[in-house]
Amino acid sequence: KRVVAFISGSGSNMLRLAQECAAADFPAEIVAVFSDKADAGGLAKAQEIGIPTFVFPRKDFVSKEAHEEAILAELDRQRPDIVCLAGYMRLLSGRFIARHEGRILNIHPSLLPLFPGLDTHRRAIEAGMKIAGCTVHFVTEGMDEGPAIVQAAVPVMAGDTPADLAARVLTVEHRAYPLALRLVAEGKVRMKNAKAVATGAAA
Ligand code: GRF
């Protein structure tokens, strides 16, 4: 399965996916990394391991539509079976999602439906949560609303700062995303009527 990963920052999740894909029995390969930020740290990481990178700075385009049009055109050339948003900090339009419905995955640093949006670790701490975590989900039109594929939880420790919790959650993100990608690439989970459904042997 051909995967295109989207990043905006350090790309640690993209790198973990690339490392897992490199395993002989892994049913997917990352064929390209896209970013909306020319200074995304993950671009150098992708280049170091020989993955082609494409940058689409938002300021180069007159509108969100033009920006997405350029991205969609390159995406068509890459013929992805799966698109993995990995620390991509831009909302995709409904039109974009419809073009790749059921093929776009995202990782969000909270146990959805709790704490959609930004600043999730500070919000979890302030809400007095005793657990936190991440969700890998199919992307649908609403922000952080798509059906979950894999979730992973970690404890919130007394005295945690948001940075402490982010670091602890990131360690399980790096296990959850490769697992979710494997399940989708193997066809064991797919999106049907906006639900994540197990298919075949995993049913
Ligand atoms: C992670 O917390 C991820 O959940 C969120 O962006 C953060 C950085 O991810 N989407 P990465 O290191 O760029 O993969």
Side-chain angles (χ1 to χ4, degrees):
K1 290 286 190 283
R2 296 174 59 84
V3 176
V4 173
F6 281 48
I7 65 168
S8 297
S10 63
S12 72
N13 276 290
M14 173 277 298
L15 194 60
R16 285 293 300 117
L17 292 177
Q19 287 161 349
E20 290 292 313
C21 286
D25 72 331
F26 200 84
E29 59 163 332
I30 298 188
V31 297
V33 170
F34 285 18
S35 183
D36 61 329
K37 296 267 190 274
D39 62 349
L43 290 170
K45 291 174 186 160
Q47 287 153 8
E48 270 164 37
I49 54 178
I51 300 177
T53 57
F54 298 83
V55 182
F56 304 89
R58 172 67 183 79
K59 65 180 178 351
D60 291 3
F61 299 88
V62 294
S63 66
K64 179 183 173 79
E65 291 68 28
H67 186 226
E68 288 199 343
E69 211 40 60
I71 294 170
L72 284 166
E74 186 53 48
L75 205 48
D76 285 350
R77 278 191 284 276
Q78 296 297 327
R79 294 180 291 101
D81 300 295
I82 301 168
V83 174
C84 286
L85 308 183
Y88 188 64
M89 304 312 276
R90 196 171 290 277
L91 282 183
L92 302 178
S93 68
R95 204 175 62 81
F96 187 115
I97 294 165
R99 289 267 289 272
H100 293 278
E101 184 83 76
R103 280 199 291 273
I104 310 176
L105 276 54
N106 181 47
I107 187 158
H108 177 76
S110 81
L111 293 171
L112 292 172
L114 292 178
F115 312 117
L118 299 174
D119 212 8
T120 60
H121 305 305
R122 181 185 56 72
R123 292 157 61 199
I125 292 167
E126 287 180 357
M129 295 296 293
K130 294 303 178 195
I131 61 165
C134 66
T135 304
V136 184
H137 62 95
F138 285 109
V139 173
T140 54
E141 192 144 353
M143 179 183 70
D144 300 332
E145 285 178 354
I149 301 163
V150 170
Q151 292 192 301
V154 297
V156 180
M157 316 293 270
D160 265 346
T161 64
D164 297 330
L165 184 53
R168 194 174 308 121
V169 171
L170 203 56
T171 64
V172 296
E173 289 182 32
H174 293 166
R175 291 205 292 272
Y177 216 159
L179 172 58
L181 177 57
R182 177 186 281 276
L183 289 170
V184 174
E186 288 176 340
K188 289 189 175 149
V189 171
R190 61 184 166 82
M191 194 168 90
K192 185 177 170 196
N193 307 329
K195 294 262 185 283
V197 296
T199 50

